[in-house]
Amino acid sequence: MQKRSYLLGLFHLSVDFLSLAPLALALSSGSPIREGTLEASFLYLAYLAFAFLFQAPLGALMDHRGNGDGRKAASFSLGFLLLGALIVFLPRGLASFLPTGDWPLALASFLGAVVLGAGNALFHVGAGRHLLLLGAGPDHLGAFISFGSIAVYLTSFSFLGLAGGPILVLLLYVLFLILGLSLALWLLIGGGRKIEVRNSPLESASFSGIPEELLYFALFLLLSVFLRGFIGGYKESSSDLLYLVAMAGVFLGKLLGGYLVRLLGSLSLLVLMGASYVLGLTLPSGGGMAGAFLLSLATNLPMGLTLSLSGRAFGKGKEGFAFGILSTMLGLGTGLGAFLAPLGTDARLTAGLMGLNILFLFLSLLFIGRGRLVELFPRWERKPRPSKAGEEVSDVRS
């Protein structure tokens, strides 16, 4: 499972890079849509709308059809990404031979962004559904999802500035295209044995399955994810190094958070998350790079946990929707946060939203782990006593 989650993580890196690089390169090479303009913001909003908001209905459709385990959908996403890149770049190549106005190039950029976003959504839901069908835990899901943040940084204008232009991005595009095609073939041809579908978590003792409790759990979890997107959307700073440090916090938070849940438990992760928030907000002079790292780290620590909770709560046969609905809520929060820029504008507002994020996640944990403290604090689990002759073995849990 661990090997598969890391391979899918590398595939995730390739897919996100191939999704975003055409837009970044188009805006940096004489595009009628200039970086930093309102048009450029709408271009990325068009991408985000299809990359994130599209995932919940797409996941529900995959679950309804019930064909396959998501591997084909993840592999076929590359076709959308190549088509989207062609739509973005082809009019620019033809413009040197058949000069036209700016509007065809702008229209091609928006259409390409839609296709690229749809391909990105197809991969995420397919690969996420595949992992949830395998019974992936927060550590596996965190490892899978973390690598996308590397692609976000490598396609940012901060990286373009450090790289000295688009040439390095073009070379990376070719490398990630080769890597993506290789992993897509592995997923289609050598993806392993037939999936053994896990039992529904709603049938286990860790969740009662009462519809009202499921409703409250889903509400609190989705609100937490929405706020995480809202407060965690760091805009590219005027300092390229500051943005790099913040994105390092995003990557490490997603990667390490799931392992910390396994090691320390869910509530311990929330305590660590809150401590990182408080330290990041109270550092003198705005915290600088240390503050940016701590805030981005704390915001992303529960990523693997929330994905795992969603898969367990919605249960058997709803894996695609369970993964997609969290991405949709994260996309809604990120889209609003990108415009309102809560971080760095009002410390009291930011602190309040971060506190609500932790509160909603805590409330969701109360429902998912009711009656089983071992789910919240793994080290509280009591091992069964060795049985004596004629005695039954008792399995007592806190």
Side-chain angles (χ1 to χ4, degrees):
M1 170 65 78
Q2 198 64 53
K3 175 184 176 183
R4 184 176 297 247
S5 62
Y6 274 103
L7 284 172
L8 283 173
L10 289 175
F11 200 177
H12 185 192
L13 170 57
S14 295
V15 166
D16 277 9
F17 188 89
L18 296 173
S19 302
L20 290 166
L23 301 179
L25 291 172
L27 294 182
S28 65
S29 58
S31 171
I33 304 175
R34 303 295 179 186
E35 174 193 352
T37 63
L38 185 61
E39 291 83 359
S41 297
F42 278 117
L43 177 67
Y44 277 103
L45 269 182
Y47 169 80
L48 286 173
F50 279 81
F52 285 93
L53 306 187
F54 193 47
Q55 289 193 38
L58 183 59
L61 179 62
M62 285 187 187
D63 294 334
H64 177 70
R65 290 178 58 86
N67 295 328
D69 54 30
R71 286 180 291 180
K72 286 186 178 180
S75 297
F76 291 163
S77 66
L78 280 183
F80 280 82
L81 301 183
L82 295 177
L83 176 61
L86 185 65
I87 293 172
V88 171
F89 288 128
L90 185 59
R92 285 167 171 76
L94 295 176
S96 57
F97 301 100
L98 301 170
T100 59
D102 287 342
W103 71 266
L105 299 182
L107 181 62
S109 297
F110 277 96
L111 180 59
V114 167
V115 176
L116 290 168
N120 189 283
L122 185 64
F123 166 77
H124 279 82
V125 177
R129 185 171 183 266
H130 175 67
L131 285 174
L132 288 177
L133 278 169
L134 285 172
D139 47 350
H140 306 122
L141 292 165
F144 161 65
I145 209 72
S146 62
F147 284 88
S149 54
I150 299 177
V152 172
Y153 176 73
L154 292 178
T155 55
S156 68
F157 291 108
S158 294
F159 179 75
L160 282 173
L162 290 174
I167 299 300
L168 181 57
V169 178
L170 283 171
L171 292 175
L172 288 174
Y173 189 92
V174 174
L175 290 176
F176 284 124
L177 177 59
I178 295 172
L179 177 62
L181 288 171
S182 302
L183 290 172
L185 288 174
W186 166 78
L187 209 58
L188 274 173
I189 299 171
R193 65 183 185 278
K194 180 178 175 59
I195 297 297
E196 296 178 3
V197 179
R198 58 175 170 75
N199 291 328
S200 170
L202 296 180
E203 299 167 2
S204 70
S206 63
F207 195 77
S208 68
I210 299 173
E212 291 80 4
E213 290 194 4
L214 176 60
L215 177 63
Y216 283 121
F217 166 74
L219 174 65
F220 292 137
L221 185 65
L222 294 179
L223 284 173
S224 172
V225 171
F226 172 83
L227 286 174
R228 192 163 75 234
F230 187 80
I231 62 181
Y234 276 91
K235 284 192 168 183
E236 293 180 38
S237 168
S238 56
S239 168
D240 292 335
L241 184 58
L242 181 64
Y243 185 67
L244 171 60
V245 169
M247 291 307 296
V250 173
F251 171 72
L252 290 175
K254 293 177 180 179
L255 180 65
L256 298 178
Y259 291 100
L260 291 174
V261 170
R262 289 284 195 192
L263 181 64
L264 303 175
S266 305
L267 288 185
S268 299
L269 182 76
L270 262 65
V271 172
L272 178 61
M273 183 180 169
S276 300
Y277 274 152
V278 171
L279 184 59
L281 288 170
T282 55
L283 285 173
S285 303
M289 287 187 290
F293 177 80
L294 286 170
L295 292 175
S296 57
L297 176 78
T299 304
N300 288 276
L301 277 174
M303 179 66 79
L305 172 63
T306 49
L307 286 170
S308 177
L309 290 176
S310 183
R312 291 174 53 198
F314 287 102
K316 186 177 179 180
K318 298 290 188 296
E319 292 82 6
F321 180 76
F323 189 95
I325 188 62
L326 291 194
S327 295
T328 294
M329 295 302 295
L330 187 68
L332 282 171
T334 302
L336 287 175
F339 277 101
L340 299 178
L343 286 177
T345 55
D346 189 324
R348 291 172 299 178
L349 171 64
T350 302
L353 292 175
M354 289 175 172
L356 281 176
N357 176 22
I358 296 176
L359 173 63
F360 287 138
L361 189 53
F362 172 72
L363 290 172
S364 68
L365 286 171
L366 288 182
F367 286 106
I368 198 73
R370 196 174 75 162
R372 281 174 59 88
L373 290 177
V374 64
E375 301 228 353
L376 307 181
F377 298 102
R379 295 189 180 278
W380 286 24
E381 181 175 12
R382 294 180 191 171
K383 306 230 169 148
R385 291 182 294 105
S387 61
K388 295 180 181 179
E391 290 185 3
E392 293 183 357
V393 177
S394 62
D395 184 9
V396 181
R397 299 178 186 271
S398 301

